Every structure is written in C-alpha cells, then in structure tokens.
Amino acid sequence: MLGGAVLIILHAPRCRALPPSHWWNQGPLYQIGDVGAFSQNLAGLQQKLPQLSKLKLKGLVLGPLHLAPADQPQHLDFLNISPDVGNLQQFKDLLQAVHKKNMHLVLDLTPNYRGDQPWFSNISVTTVAEELKSALMFWLSVGVDGVQLAGVEQVSSLVPSLWDDIRSIVQNHSDHLTSKNGVDLLLSNLLSSSPNTSEHAQSVQALYSAHPQSRLAWNLGGRSQGHLASLVGAAGVKVHLLLLFMLPGTPVFNYGDEIGLMDQEQEEEQTSCLQVFRTLADLRERELALQYGDLLLLLPNSSSSSWLGLGRSWDQSERYVAAFNWADQGVSLDLSHPLLGPRGLVVLDTAGTPGTSGTTVTLGALELGPAQALLLKVPYHQG
C-alpha cells in the first residue's frame, strides 16, 4: 500500500504535426534530358545508378525518349523509344533497378521536344493530346512513377476537357505527376531571370504564399536551358546549389550540376562542388526544418542591396539560415529575427574559407566576402 502518494503531472509542449507529403517532397530530383550525353544509352545509365544513389536523390526525371521528329506531328510515336538510347526492355530493366535503389522515375513525355513548340501548332494540339492519353495508360502500366510535360498551358487553355482527361488518367493510376505548369509540382523558372535581389525575394514569397510548399519545385537550367555552371559561372555554382536546397519545396537539378559541369564539358571545381551537394542533400534528408520548415525572408532595408537571407523553421527543431552575397565586394548583414536566436553555427561555407566551418557567428553582425554564402544552424529560440 502506497502512503502519502504524490502525483506529478508534467505538461510537455505539443509537437507540430508533420504535413502530408509525397516522395518528391523528401529530397532532390535529377533531370537527365540527354541520355546520350550523360551515359550513351539506357544500359549505361543503369550502370551509373550506384553513384547517383549516393547523392540522396529521390527521383530521376528522364527523357524525353520517344520518337518525335522535330515539328512533324504526323510522325509522333509516344510508345517507342528512340533506338539511339535503347529499347523498351532496357527501359524496364532500368526502371526496376531505379526502384531497387529506393528512387523513383519520372518520364518526360513532352510531345515535340526536338522542335520549336512543345505541342506543335495550335491546330495539332487536340490530336496530340488524344494520342498522349493512350500513351499515358501504357507508360503508367509499365510502372513509371510520374510524367513531366512542358507547355501544358497550351493544352489546358485550348482544350481544357482533354487536359482534365490527362490529369485524371495519371491521378487514377498514380498520384505522381511532375509538370512544368502545376499538377503535383509547380516547377518554377523564376530563378532563371535576373532581377535584383529584392524582386527575386518578392517572387519567391508570392509563390510560397499562393501554393503549399509540397507543390513547389525550383530549378536553374535543364534540357533546353543548359547546365547551372554555364548559367551562373563556375564560381557561382556552390552558392546556387545552396539557394536551391534552401527554398521551400523540391530542388531540381540538371545532370552534372553537382560537379559544376558546363555545357562545354569543362569540369572546374568538381570535387568541391560535389562535396557541397552531398552535404546539402544529406541535411535536406534528415532535418525537419529543411524538409517542412516555414520560410523566413531576411531582407536588407535597401532594395538596392545585394544580399539575401533565407531561414527555415519548423516547430521546436533547430533552424537553418542561409546568407547570400551576390556582389563582388564584401558586405555586412543583419539577420536578426524574433524566431531566431542571436548566434548560429557555420555548417557550410561556399568559399571554403579555412577555419570557418564549425565556428559561431553573430546573426546581427555577419560578414560575407564577395560572392560568398554561408549556411548556419541556429538553436530553437522561443520568440
């Protein structure tokens, strides 16, 4: 018998429930638009899967692979793979190998990918969309985890009923559809433009406010635009890798971006770029703030300033803050925010300054060198 028992009731803070998410929300996607350039053919791509899996990729966006002579809708054949890259059996073998590596495969079925208009002319849109419907049934039955379609606004505006049919086919067979105009993922190209820092921040905030981050995806470059290093310069690759990983949503990379590959196949800074990519992919996979966190925009008082701060916060987890300096001279930043503590630990320095990683810095008086970015880990702070 217990005498004089004392009951202690403890109140633990309630944890915030994780939002619904899909596989594409858990890490980066990797676009391989030109299989021939990347691995010669599908069999060569399968051989590269072990090294791709080390990048913590959640999915490959492959192709287009189908037969489609430029601007000739009468010769379009969604169901056959170009013999230059392989055949259907090799595709099935690749798909099975991708799934064994716990990755997913999204197939690009953009009709006129070699021509000027993604869906040929307006006159042909209805016919092509009808062909696509049967092609979707085929490829989804093969086992692909989603499709990517460029230029879908042309279909949705001209023949909205057909676009509804296309969406229904995919969503009834699988809820995984990647599109460049918003189905399950809204793949934004706004980072490809070059406004000032303030305009970029406002554009990001507008998309973030209008869509759940589970539907947002961000990229720089791609099959038609080229590699990241060719767009931002070799010196800017690591800074932009950090930017893509920090934004709320899914980062999408072109093959070779992780090593700073340029369109001319120059390979500057391969090792250091790869290490930055692997570090960020690992953090993205295991840190709640980077997977689900709310976006904190930390902006300078002057719209002409060249620096930007991005914060990610989730419940009582550690916060992450990235500070970017786009200028060719050093800057002083004030990243103070009510949801952030006064100091942060340097996790990553794109400039690779000796002795910087692992040091503690003050958010209200942060110094960045020219074209430098830092990733900081900030303890939970109850504002």
Side-chain angles (χ1 to χ4, degrees), residues 145-222:
D145 300 293
V147 297
Q148 174 168 278
L149 298 167
V152 295
E153 65 278 359
Q154 192 175 0
V155 186
S156 59
S157 61
L158 290 175
V159 280
S161 61
L162 276 178
W163 176 238
D164 290 341
D165 291 345
I166 289 170
R167 293 186 61 179
S168 296
I169 289 170
V170 177
Q171 292 170 352
N172 287 337
H173 284 75
S174 162
D175 64 349
H176 310 316
L177 177 63
T178 303
S179 168
K180 290 192 175 179
N181 194 37
V183 180
D184 283 328
L185 275 180
L186 175 66
L187 187 55
S188 170
N189 291 314
L190 71 85
L191 299 178
S192 300
S193 58
S194 56
N196 62 38
T197 300
S198 177
E199 290 175 344
H200 257 152
Q202 292 172 8
S203 298
V204 169
Q205 182 63 62
L207 277 175
Y208 176 72
S209 300
H211 304 277
Q213 63 174 285
S214 60
R215 288 195 58 219
L216 292 176
W218 311 90
N219 75 321
L220 267 167

Side-chain angles (χ1 to χ4, degrees), residues 294 296 313 319 336-341 378-383:
D294 300 320
L296 305 175
S313 67
R319 278 75 167 110
S336 303
H337 191 279
L339 293 178
L340 301 174
V378 182
Y380 167 68
H381 174 77
Q382 189 170 7

Side-chain angles (χ1 to χ4, degrees), residues 77-103:
D77 187 351
F78 283 117
L79 303 184
N80 282 301
I81 293 173
S82 173
D84 295 340
V85 297
N87 55 47
L88 180 58
Q89 186 56 54
Q90 290 172 333
F91 180 86
K92 290 180 177 179
D93 292 342
L94 172 66
L95 180 62
Q96 184 179 33
V98 167
H99 289 160
K100 284 184 177 179
K101 291 292 184 182
N102 294 316
M103 294 188 290

